[in-house]
Amino acid sequence: MSLVGHLRELRNHLVKALLAVAAGTIVGFLWYDHGLLTFFTEPYCALPGELRLQGDGECRLVVLDVFGGVLLRLKIGLLAGVVLSSPFWLYQLWAFITPGLKRNEKRYGIGFVAASTTLFALGAVMAYITLTKGLELLLSLAGDEVAFQLTAPDYLGFVISLLVAFGLSFELPLIAVGLNLVGILSHEALSGARRWIYFLTIVFAAFITPTQDPFTMLAMAVPMCVLFELAIQVARVVDKRRAKREAAEGLAGLDDDEASPSIEAASPLDTTPSSIDEPAHLQR
C-alpha cells in the first residue's frame, strides 16, 4: 500500500473511532442525571459532615459561572464516552496496526492490549477506593474550625487526575515486561535492581499522587511493587525459555560431521608427544 493509501486507511479508522466516542459522549450526557454524577461525588459526600459546609443534610458542589454547569456536564459526558466506546476505538487502532504485524507479534499485541486495559482499570478502581480517605486526611489538616465548599470543576478535575495517575502508574510494570520480551532488559538486570525499583516506586508514588498523603501514596506504591515483582518473575521465565531456544537453535544449525561447541570446549584433543603411545622399537 502506498503512503496515500496508508493515510486514507488511517483517516477511515480515525473517523470511525471518533464517531464511536461521540456516540458514547451522548450516552454519558444523558446518563449524567441518572447516577453518573453521583458516582463521581460519592467520595466527597461520604466525608464527615463537619468537613463539608452543608453538613450531613446536603451534599452539593458549587458552580461559580453561568456556563460552568454545561461545561461540567460535557466534560463528564466526554469522559464517560471515551470509556464506554473504548472497545470499539481500540479495535479500530488494532485493525490499522495488525496488517503489518507477524503472527507472533499479533499474539503479543493482543496480550498487551488486554493486560494494559486490565491494569489501567485496576489502578482506577484502587484510586476510587482510596479517594475518600485521602480527601478526609487532606481536608482535616485545615483544623476543626474550617468547613469546605468545593467547586465542581476543581473537585472533578482532582478526581479525574487521580484516576488517570493511578491507571497510568499501574502500566509501568507492563513496560518492563515488554522491554524484556524484546531483549532490551534482562531478568538479571531487573533482579539486581530490585531494591532500587522498590525505592524509586515509593518516591514516584509520593510525587505523582495529587493528594500526596501517606495513605494514597502507599495505596499506589504497594500494588506497584507487587506488580514489579510479578514482572521480574515473568522476565525470569522468559529468559529461561529464550536461553533454551537459542541453545536448541545452535545445535540444530550444526552439520552432521561437525562437533558441538560444548564438546569441543569440554574435551579438547591432547596431541602432545608425551601422550601418544610410540612403538616399542622407537622408544629406545
Side-chain angles (χ1 to χ4, degrees):
M1 187 181 294
S2 63
L3 177 60
V4 176
H6 279 293
L7 294 177
R8 186 180 299 111
E9 189 73 13
L10 177 61
R11 181 199 61 189
N12 294 335
H13 287 295
L14 284 177
V15 169
K16 293 178 182 178
L18 291 176
L19 289 176
V21 172
T25 302
I26 295 175
V27 174
F29 190 86
L30 299 175
W31 186 19
Y32 181 86
D33 290 327
H34 302 280
L36 184 59
L37 181 62
T38 304
F39 172 79
F40 283 102
T41 57
E42 183 61 30
Y44 172 66
C45 295
L47 293 173
E50 58 270 14
L51 292 177
R52 291 184 286 106
L53 189 60
Q54 301 99 335
D56 293 328
E58 297 180 355
C59 178
R60 295 181 179 179
L61 298 173
V62 176
V63 176
L64 301 179
D65 57 278
V66 176
F67 295 100
V70 177
L71 295 177
L72 178 66
R73 187 164 188 154
L74 287 175
K75 184 176 182 180
I76 294 181
L78 178 60
L79 178 64
V82 172
V83 175
L84 292 176
S85 63
S86 59
F88 189 82
W89 58 260
L90 283 174
Y91 170 77
Q92 294 300 321
L93 177 63
W94 178 251
F96 177 72
I97 296 176
T98 186
L101 299 179
K102 299 178 182 178
R103 181 177 300 177
N104 61 334
E105 292 173 340
K106 293 179 182 179
R107 184 174 66 251
Y108 286 143
I110 294 174
F112 268 89
V113 169
S116 61
T117 304
T118 303
L119 289 175
F120 188 91
L122 179 62
V125 170
M126 183 65 67
Y128 188 82
I129 292 174
T130 61
L131 183 57
T132 300
K133 290 295 183 181
L135 279 174
E136 182 177 356
L137 180 60
L138 284 178
L139 299 183
S140 62
L141 293 176
D144 297 334
E145 298 180 356
V146 177
F148 290 86
Q149 180 67 67
L150 301 181
T151 62
D154 291 340
Y155 170 75
L156 292 175
F158 167 77
V159 172
I160 293 173
S161 63
L162 186 66
L163 297 179
V164 172
F166 266 75
L168 294 180
S169 299
F170 278 40
E171 304 282 352
L172 295 179
L174 186 63
I175 295 176
V177 174
L179 293 176
N180 174 258
L181 287 175
V182 299
I184 297 177
L185 197 59
S186 65
H187 167 259
E188 183 179 358
L190 285 172
S191 180
R194 180 183 276 110
R195 294 182 180 179
W196 278 105
I197 290 175
Y198 292 162
F199 172 74
L200 293 177
T201 298
I202 295 174
V203 174
F204 172 81
F207 280 97
I208 201 65
T209 50
T211 59
Q212 295 184 351
D213 63 279
F215 182 83
T216 307
M217 181 194 72
L218 291 176
M220 176 185 286
V222 172
M224 284 185 64
C225 290
V226 174
L227 291 174
F228 269 118
E229 184 61 34
L230 290 176
I232 293 174
Q233 298 307 317
V234 170
R236 179 177 62 84
V237 175
V238 171
D239 283 0
K240 283 185 176 181
R241 291 182 177 179
R242 183 182 292 120
K244 290 181 180 180
R245 183 172 62 252
E246 291 176 353
E249 291 175 354
L251 291 177
L254 294 175
D255 296 334
D256 295 337
D257 56 349
E258 184 180 357
S260 66
S262 59
I263 296 176
E264 293 178 355
S267 302
L269 294 178
D270 188 2
T271 57
T272 57
S274 59
S275 62
I276 301 177
D277 294 336
E278 296 179 346
H281 67 279
L282 296 177
Q283 293 179 0
R284 298 176 180 177

